[in-house]
Structure formats: structure tokens, C-alpha cells
Amino acid sequence: MIRFALRGLLGRKLRTALTAIGVVLGVALVSGTFVLTDSISSAFDSIFTENYKNTDAAITGKAAFELSGDSAGTAPPFDQGLLAKVAELPEVGAAGGAVGGQAQLIGRDGKAVAFGGAPNLGFSVDPARPEFNTLTLVKGAWPTAGQVVIDTKTAEAKKFATGDTIGVQARGAVQRMQISGLVEFGAVSSIGGATLAGFDLPTAQQLFDKPGKLDQILLAAKDGVSTQQLVDAVQKILPAGTQVRSADDQAAEDAKGTSSFLTFFRTFLLVFGGIALFVGSFVIANSLSITIAQRTREFATLRTLGASRRQVLNSVVLEALLTGLVSAVAGLFLGLGIATGLFKIFDAAGLTLPNNGLVFRTRTVVVALAVGVVVTLLASLRPAWRATRVPPIAAVREGATLPPGRLHRFRPLGAALLAVAGVALVVSGLFVDGLSTGSLLSLLAIGVLLIFIGIALFSARLVRPLAAASDPVARWSVLVLSIVAWPLFSLPYWLLRRGFWGSGSTASRVGGLLLGAVLNPVLLVIVALMAVRRAVSSWQPEWPAEFPGVLSDRPAVGIGGQNSRRDPHRTASTAAALMIGLALVTLVATLGAGIIKPFEDAVDKIFSGDYAITAQNNFSPLPPTVAAAVAKVPGVDALSSVRGGQGRAFGETIQITGVDKQAPDVLRFDWKSGSQATLGELGADGAVVDADYADKHGLAVGSALPLETVAGKTLPLQVRGIFKPPAGGSPFGSVTISTSAFDATNPQPLDLYTFVSLRGGVTAANTAALQQALSTFPNAKALTREQFKKVQSDSIKSLLNVLYVLLALSVLVSLFGIVNTLVLTVFERTRELGMLRAIGLTRRQVKRMIRHESVITALIGAVIGILLGLGLALLLAARLDEISFAVPTGQLLLFAVVSVVVGIFAAIWPARRAARLDPLEALQYE
Amino acid sequence: MVGNTDGQASVVVATGLERTYGEGDTAVHALRGVSVQVAAGQLTAVMGPSGSGKSTLMHILAGLDKPTSGSVLIAGTEITTLGDDALTKLRREHIGFIFQFFNLLPMLTARENVVLPLTIAGEKPDPAYFDELIARVGLTDRLTHRPAELSGGQQQRVAIARALVSRPTVIFADEPTGNLDSRTSNEILHLMRSSVDDYGQTTVMVTHDARAAAMADRVLFLADGEIVKETGRTSQGEILQIIDSLDLQ
Ligand SMILES: Nc1ncnc2c1ncn2[C@@H]1O[C@H](COP(=O)(O)OP(=O)(O)OP(=O)(O)O)[C@@H](O)[C@H]1O
Ligand SMILES: [Mg+2]
């Protein structure tokens, strides 16, 4: 039986390969994701391990409570006196203290050196303790007071050498420093795009505004002292606000942030792999159904020769298994390519990821193979079961078809029920309160899955009316697209082919060739390759090619339209694959539009000043020195920064923000209790809280709100005002206090934003004045409200673009699905095509006919998909305040056009195959 | 009318077969009470005009289709009430088919097509018998070819070898030469005749060709769903006369 299955597959190589493409791409994305994230994670691990080489234990500052995530808020540094005390312990062999922080290197152009979103790391280096030093000196010398060592990559990219001066900016304004040497990070070949800057300890303390403080003490145990003994001994003398961990624990702690990000990143990419596989499973199920219908006679013959139903089932399932296995293996290796490609793409996009070589884990292999095989098997079950229903007598019946399944009659009802159940799941996921994120997401995912399957099954019912409605749309859109493409593709293609091997005078051919090459140089390459192939093999291109026309061909298009209505189930399943991709793309586009609008409204509501100061990358917090510099600009009427950090109240860690006295003049709140004035009068113990938080904890104006801060002090706050944040979000945390209270209790405070009003509002002079003030802070920029809205919504848009790219994979899979169905259909209608050709249909008409069928199928998928996507977006928007429901008409139109293009592209190859059929052979074909 | 058995053991015994397609006014009575016995080791031909029910009868005898009423015994087993599994088993042991359109599996070689029934049953061919069979059907140098690389006649030879390879109790052939030219038909018919003579292979064959029927040990004439006449081995001329006399064609 294995041999039959294999033979069957080999006999239908092409069809099998087309069937499998969905699985190959899906598995590739899955395995690529694993390889990528494993590689990044192993590179990070080696960075963190490198940090603690020769170290047995590390002392660090300790926040009063567990900080959440990696957002604003860091552990406070501690007094450097601890170093001497620890060094005296008998268990300690060596001890070295260090400080670190963000340190921008400033290029000659005055701009901060940054490679993508990678951090700019600065730290103290102690040449006297080389065992703790993670930097390797490549050239020059270690830094002395006022000097810096920088990484070789920055030096190379920005053309710096030892002895040059370079700008360095940490918490203060830019300082010019001499480069004493070039360094690399330990043994790690690339630590992503991070820039490195090393200073001696006093310089670093000054730069990072940590005078007399340390962030970390690295310890090596004396010989014969175990790590545990060392940790225990140190523990006894540690002051409050510090902690000691073994080197391994500390490395793991450091890795927490990146590993939680990587886990998110991995899940995120896997979701898209899953979607591609889901679409792929539709393609497989559909192709298998068609192939099995075409093989009815074969199965029946096998039955007459004594094959049991089980044997038929096994042979089909076995074929699916083999297909799944082969495609999974192909996908696995393609995944390696994808991972390499993604590294390159991120690199090109400026987001250099740490890379220490690709990591190919056994887990990747196992998961990728299992996923590929299981998806294929599941998709094959129904077609396989149908194959067992083929009666032996079908062997002698001319044109025997698969008998309809027993449950055939209940199919529309069952499909509708599935879709309704899916909607019910989604609705309950969205509107039932108190679900955990996990169960919410799985409810949504399963719900959407059921909706897709239900609609895909049900849509066979919709095919006839939809196909009839799409028919003129397809006709017209193809006409328009043909006219658009005519001068760029059709005409040059014809000219080039005529130039290479057509008829006509040499002069006119050469002229045409030149014109064609100018119109589309890419085609020149393609046609030249065709010419080479023609010269070296017996291959003949189709020639003479007719002069390219654009007008649609009534009779051909008429037959094509009818063909699309001929087998509604087939058309529906083919369209369903595209429907899924388009529904998701529509969902993303609609939600994107729905997010940006409320966000812009929120900016308009809150931001009453003239300018906002943000980091160049629009999101990194800035040191308060930036705001201080801006405050000195002549003409500043009012300025308030928004400090961001974390605190702890009522037993939970919350985001807190701090605002200046002048805040009422640059920020506007929607007050439930309190007023604008409140914002400026918070003093040492006043707080404004957001309405949800107030409701949750029963707070009213006058309520006591004890807030524990990172440094361990508790602020006895009193609620002075309650505000309603706008639907589109606000930069404010649950609790907002005054800047002075914030700075008194938060070491190393940072500003999320700074808002300013200037006399005269937004003017060129004011903008110039701000820019002048910021010239010593190359990492900061001043934006008007409109610019601020634009850069913020642009970042949302670029996130949307990432989603589109990932969803494009599913659309690509569905394109192959259409190709596959068309090829199978052409194969099945060989006789019919021969007959049509024999009674006078030209090759071009055959192509037009098939293209029309393809475009109609694509349009059906597009219409259902777009409507479905809008429906899902409506549900989400109804639930989430942050999102309004806005139909992005332009984008949806674009998606519809893309679908038509998908239909046209999908038809190219099957149409060529159909047109190549020799009418005589086609008629003889048995 | 009941076909006689010439005193030999009957391997197929059908009684009172009726087959109606459809219901009510549009019902077609393809068979109206046919009883027939097929003797072991004989070549039985079934003749009759188009639509007379020949194929229907054949399908019912072979267990491909169920009669509306009546019974069919093959090698003593009542097949009209058998379930799918039992029927499958019965096919493996007792029934061989030769089709008008050959029904070879396109992806298998001639050799693989021939041994297919054995492969399906999980058996191996007896090498001596296999070689002899292949030599007899004249496929020795065609064994590695695919059906697409064989002529119609060669394809039908493969199909005959496939039917013979498992030495079934009875072979059913529906117009085995219906798709071949007269010369090739002749060769195929001789092949079938010789398998009956040399291996004692019981065979039932539907045909429109008087020449083919003249090679049979027995000829049944069907008209309008009933057996209207039967003869023993007879000449082509006589068969044509019978057809004329029955005003059948
Ligand atoms: N599946 C079916 N459904 C309905 N009617 C059928 C079916 N199969 C056969 N018939 C009818 O039964 C009658 C007998 O058909 P059958 O195929 O047995 O004829 P035949 O003798 O084999 O004819 P031919 O020589 O043309 O092959 C015909 O009238 C035919 O139309
Ligand atoms: Mg017939």
C-alpha cells in the first residue's frame, strides 16, 4: 500500500507539490520562528553569561517591590562604601564595583549613533580587575578620567579612531571625550545594534548622575569557599536596598526581560504561522477532494479487485501522510532560510538583532514535522472518508462522480450552526467580564476558527449569487487593470518576443526590442532567458503571439463565468482560503483605522501646549536635564514634563506619573472631581488618580492613598482630583503626583514627554529656539502637536505594516490554492477544452476564460472575507473603548483590487497549460 | 427460463433476479425475473440489444449491484445480503473482472497492474504461474511499461492477466472487445478462450459480437430484461440467425 501511495504521488507530482505549498510555507514560518527566537535567545544568554564570567556572586540595588516588565523604573543604586566593606570579608577573593546606564555616542554629524532600537550601553570599566571586565580591548588603552572606549562597530560605521574626540550624552548635556581605545563585547560576535561606551568609575558616576554610588558589585570567592558560603557571608552585612545573588541567578534575572519579550515575539510569529497553516489546510482539503473526485474510477477499480474500504482509506491517508512529511521537511529547511532572511531584513530595517549563529534545536525539528504532518492528516480525513464511499460499480460507470455524503443534506445547517457557535464564543470572550487573558484569547481564537470553517462550508450556498454579482465586477476590473498594465507588461512583452524571434523587418524588430526594454527592463531579462532556453533546448515558446489586446472577450468570459458557478463547493472552498486572509487583513486595517482616530482625538484633548519634546525614536524616556534646557528658552510660558515610573499601592504595582506646577497650562484633563488648578497644586502629598482606578479602590477626593516608591519610602498621598482619561489612551499612570514628590522618591527619574507653550505659539522662530536648546541633546527633538500625532500614528501604522506582511503569507498560500484548483480543473476538463478548441475557441479565449473564472473566485473570497473582517472588527470595537469603528474604505478597495490581481496571477499558469492543450490530443485523452 | 448446466457444478446460481431503477411512472425495469446458472469451466456469452439489461445482470451477478429481488449464489454463498467486508473478501477469492475500458491504474507498470489483486490481498504471485501467464498473454517484454505506453490491445491483455492471476472462481467481462479493432478483438477472444480451455477458467462475457459469441460454450440471449433464448456452442452464422429471428438487432 505504501508503494501505491508513493506511486500515486509521483504520478501526480505537480498536483501534489501545489497541494503541499500551503503546508510548506506554514511550517517554514513556524520553524523559522523557532530558529530565529532560539538564535536570539542563545545570543542573549551568552551575553548575560559573559557578563558574569569569573564572577561567583553579584550585589545589586533592590527595588522596594518587584518591578513589572521593563518599563520605566529601575532599581536604585547604593552607596559605594559597601564595596570596601564587602572586600574585607574573609570569603571574598576579589570584588569590583561598577555603574552603568544609557550613554549615547554622538556622531560627527551631531546625531546620536543608534542602530535600530538597540540600546546604547554605557558602563564603568576597571582595568585593575580584568577578571570582571566583559570588554576586550582591541586597540588603544583603557580610559582614564574624562576618556571613553567605544565599540569597534560604532568606530567603523562612524569613522572614529583612538585619539579622536566623540560626544557622549548620558543624563546631562553632551560632553566631548577623547577615545582612548576600541573594545568588543567578550566573545559575542554581535550584540545586536547596541553601542558600547566604557569609562572609568568616577567619570561614569558623574555621567550617570550616580555620584558615590554603585549599581553592582561583582564578587569572586576565595579558593575553597563555595558560592553559597560567599552569598551567605555577604548577606549578613548587606544594608537595606541591596541584594546578593549567585552569578547564575543574576544572569537568569538579567535575562528575564529579554526572555519574556522573546516569548511574546515567538508567540506572535507562531500565530501567523498557524494562520498560514490553517489556510494551507483548506487548500489541502480542497485539492484532495478534487483529486479524489477525479480518481473515483481508480478507487472503484481497486474495490472490484478486492480492496477493502479500510485499504482505500489507508492509501489516501498514507498519501496525505507522505505529502505532509515531505512538505514539513521542506518547510523546516525553508524555515532556516526564513530565519536568516529575517535577521537580514531586521538588520536592513536598522533593527540589528544579536546573532551568534543559527540555533537549530531538536524541538524545532519535532514541532515543525509534527505540525506539518498533523495538519495535512487532519485536512485529508474528510476526503479520505469520502473515497471509501466510492462504490465498486463506479468502475464501470462513465463519468461516475463521488456520491454525496450521508450528512450532505445537513451541511448548510451544520455550517450555519458552526458559524453561530463561533460568533457566540467570540461574543462571550469579549463581553463576559473577569476572564483571564489566556482564556479570553483562546475563546476568541477558537471562535474565529469556527466562524471561518462554518462560513467556508456554508459559502457554497452563496457561490451562485455571488459569482453572478462578481461577474461584471471581474470583467470591468480586469479591463481596467489590463489597460493599466498594457504599456508596462503586455506591450513590452509582445515587443520583446517579437524582437527576439518574431517576424518583421530587422529594423522594426530591433526598434521594438529597444522600446520594450525601456518600458520594462525586467521583462527583457525574462525574455532573454526564454531566448537562451529556446536556443539550447528543443523548447518552443508559444508563437506567433497576437498583438496584446485589452478588451474582454464576451464568449470566453461568458463560459468562464459559468464555469465558476458549476461546482459551488469547489469554488467556495477555493475562495475560502482567500477569504481567511482577507478577513484578517480587513480586521487589522479596520482596527488600525479605529485605533488611530481615538488616539489623535486623545492627543488633541490632552495636549494643550504648543510643542512636545520626545526622544528621536519617539518612545525612549529622556533625562530631566532635557526639559531643564528647554525651560531656559526665552519665551517659554509654561512647561511640564511627564515623569514615568512605578509604585506600589493597595498591594499591586502600578504605573505612576509626575507633572510640574505649570502642567495646567500645557495639559488638559477631563475632570470628574477636581479642576485644572488641582494639577498645579499637588505639592508633596497630592495625587490625581484616573477614574477606573478610583472606582476600583473606592477613592474619592480626600481619600488617603499610601504609595510605596521604588526606593522603599512610602508617600502618604491624598487624592485631590479624579480624571477620565480619553478613550484613545493617555500618557498618565493610575496615580499622578507632583514632579517634586516624584523626584524625591525615585532615583534616576526619566521623562516620558515634555510639553511646552511658548509666547506666540507655534512659529518658525520658536521652533528654531527649541532646536537650538536641544542641540546639546541630540537624542531629543521638538514636535508640534500635528507632528506629534503624526509620528505616534506612524508608529502604529508601521506595526500594522508588519501585520500585513505576515498576513500576506496566508494570502500567498491561498493564491496557490486557486492555482491548484484551476490546474486540477483544467486537467479534469481536458476533453471539454479540446472540444471548445475544436469548435473554434482560440488560445487567447481559453486563457481569458480561465482567468475570468479565477478572478470571480478571488472576488467571492474577497467579498466574504472583507465583510467577515468588518464584522469581527465591529465586535471588537463595540467592546474596546480604545477602538472606534471606522471603515477604511480606501484600503478595503485596495484589498479588493489586490484580490483581483491575485486572481489574475493565479490564472496565468493554469491558463497557459489549458491553452497549450492540443485539441486533438485533448479529445483522444482517456 | 432457467439456463441449464450440462450436468456440471454451477459456480454462479441466480434465481428470480429483478432490478428496477427509479420509482413510479419513470421506473425502468432493467431485469424482470432472470434466473441463470453458470457452469464451472465454461465460457458463457450474454447477448442482447442495447438496453436489454446485460450489464445490469452482470453487475448483479458480480456483486457490484444489488437486485431489487432475487438471489445470487457464488461458490455457494448468497451474495445479495452480504455486507461490504464480506463482499470484499468474496471478490478477492472468487471474482475477476475484465472491463471494456481496461481500468488499469495509470501510475503502475504492467507487471504491477497484473499482480494488483494479489498485492491487495497481501499475497505473492506463484512465479512459475506468473511467468507462464505473462508469456501466454504475450506481455513478457512489456512488463515495465506504464498503461499510457501500451496499445489498447496490450492494455486489455494486462487486464486479462490481472483477472487470471488470482485464479478466481469466475471472471466477468463486459464487452471486453468493445473498445478494440476487429483484429485485436480476435486475439483477445482467443486468449479468453484458451484460458477457459487450459486453466478451466469459468468466464461470463457480455458481447455484441457474434464472432465472440461463437467461441462461447453457451450463449444467453437477453431482451427487455428477460432471457429469451439460449444455445450451446454454435456457429457465428447460427447466432446471427437467432438474432434475426428474435428480431433483436
Ligand atoms: N444507473 C441507472 N439508473 C437508471 N437506469 C439505468 C441505470 N443503469 C441502467 N439503467 C437502465 O437499465 C436498462 C438496462 O441497462 P443496461 O446497462 O443493463 O443495458 P445493456 O444491455 O448493458 O446495454 P448496452 O448494450 O448498451 O450496454 C436501460 O434501459 C438503462 O437505461
Ligand atoms: Mg452494457
Side-chain angles (χ1 to χ4, degrees), chain B residues 50-51 53-56 59 100 174-175 206 208:
Chain B
S50 194
K54 306 182 291 294
S55 297
T56 307
H59 297 156
Q100 180 178 354
D174 196 347
E175 301 186 39
V206 168
H208 283 289

Side-chain angles (χ1 to χ4, degrees), chain A residues 185-253:
Chain A
F185 188 88
V188 182
S189 56
S190 152
I191 94 160
T195 63
L196 304 176
F199 317 93
D200 75 341
L201 184 62
T203 309
Q205 284 172 328
Q206 175 258 321
L207 276 170
F208 298 126
D209 194 19
K210 294 172 183 171
K213 303 271 185 181
L214 292 177
D215 286 320
Q216 197 175 46
I217 296 175
L218 299 182
L219 301 168
K222 269 237 174 68
D223 283 349
V225 176
S226 75
T227 303
Q228 193 53 48
Q229 285 167 325
L230 176 70
V231 168
D232 290 344
V234 172
Q235 195 83 58
K236 286 196 193 93
I237 63 156
L238 280 186
T242 57
Q243 60 193 337
V244 62
R245 290 195 182 97
S246 72
D248 290 345
D249 290 351
Q250 186 63 41
E253 188 66 25

Side-chain angles (χ1 to χ4, degrees), chain B residues 170-190:
Chain B
V170 54
I171 289 179
F172 293 99
D174 196 347
E175 301 186 39
T177 59
N179 219 25
L180 300 171
D181 66 44
S182 71
R183 218 186 98 162
T184 320
S185 297
N186 228 357
E187 288 167 15
I188 295 295
L189 288 170
H190 278 103

Side-chain angles (χ1 to χ4, degrees), chain A residues 1 3-4 7-8 11-12 295 297-298 301-309 311 391-398 926, chain B residues 19 21 59 64-65 84-85 88 91-92 95 97 99 101 103-109 112 116-117 119-121 146 162:
Chain A
M1 238 37 213
R3 209 156 39 117
F4 284 141
R7 276 302 169 71
R12 296 181 298 275
R295 290 166 68 196
R297 187 123 174 216
E298 190 179 305
T301 306
L302 280 173
R303 294 298 315 277
T304 63
L305 298 179
S308 62
R309 283 190 171 158
Q311 281 175 315
I393 197 161
V396 293
R397 291 228 168 103
E398 188 55 20
E926 194 341 82
Chain B
R19 180 67 166 98
Y21 291 109
H59 297 156
L64 291 181
D65 198 4
D84 192 74
D85 286 343
T88 300
R91 277 188 206 112
R92 285 183 189 176
I95 300 176
F97 284 100
F99 302 95
F101 295 106
N103 285 28
L104 300 180
L105 268 63
M107 68 282 192
L108 300 183
T109 61
E112 286 163 337
L116 192 55
T119 318
I120 286 172
R146 298 276 152 90
R162 178 176 70 182

